[in-house]
Amino acid sequence: AVADQLEGKSVKVVCKAGGDGRLFGAVTSKTVSEAIAEVLKIDVDKKKIMLADAIKTYGTHPVKIKLYNGVETTVNVVVADK
């Protein structure tokens, strides 16, 4: 199942940031969707990615994905500078 393929996996998103570590721009659900498609070869609609606020800092961020009613999984989004 798609949930099993995604559960616990990590995808890396590369972004530039200022000296204080805050990103120029932000990582949005669209960015996460594109990263999953590129790295894991699984299409996930950006509307199914439960991101309360855009990610604006480096680090590993667990992101919940609601695939279907009652079916959720979590993917780790690693935001790095290279």
Side-chain angles (χ1 to χ4, degrees), residues 6-57:
L6 292 171
E7 183 64 43
K9 295 287 193 295
S10 294
V11 292
K12 186 175 181 180
V13 176
V14 176
C15 296
K16 296 249 185 261
D20 61 355
R22 289 187 60 83
L23 301 181
F24 294 130
V27 176
T28 62
S29 56
K30 180 179 182 216
T31 314
V32 174
S33 174
E34 290 168 353
I36 291 170
E38 184 180 323
V39 176
L40 303 175
K41 309 288 187 247
I42 300 169
D43 287 326
V44 176
D45 188 331
K46 67 180 183 178
K47 294 178 189 127
K48 295 183 178 187
I49 297 170
M50 304 287 112
L51 204 55
D53 293 307
I55 299 169
K56 297 182 180 178
T57 56

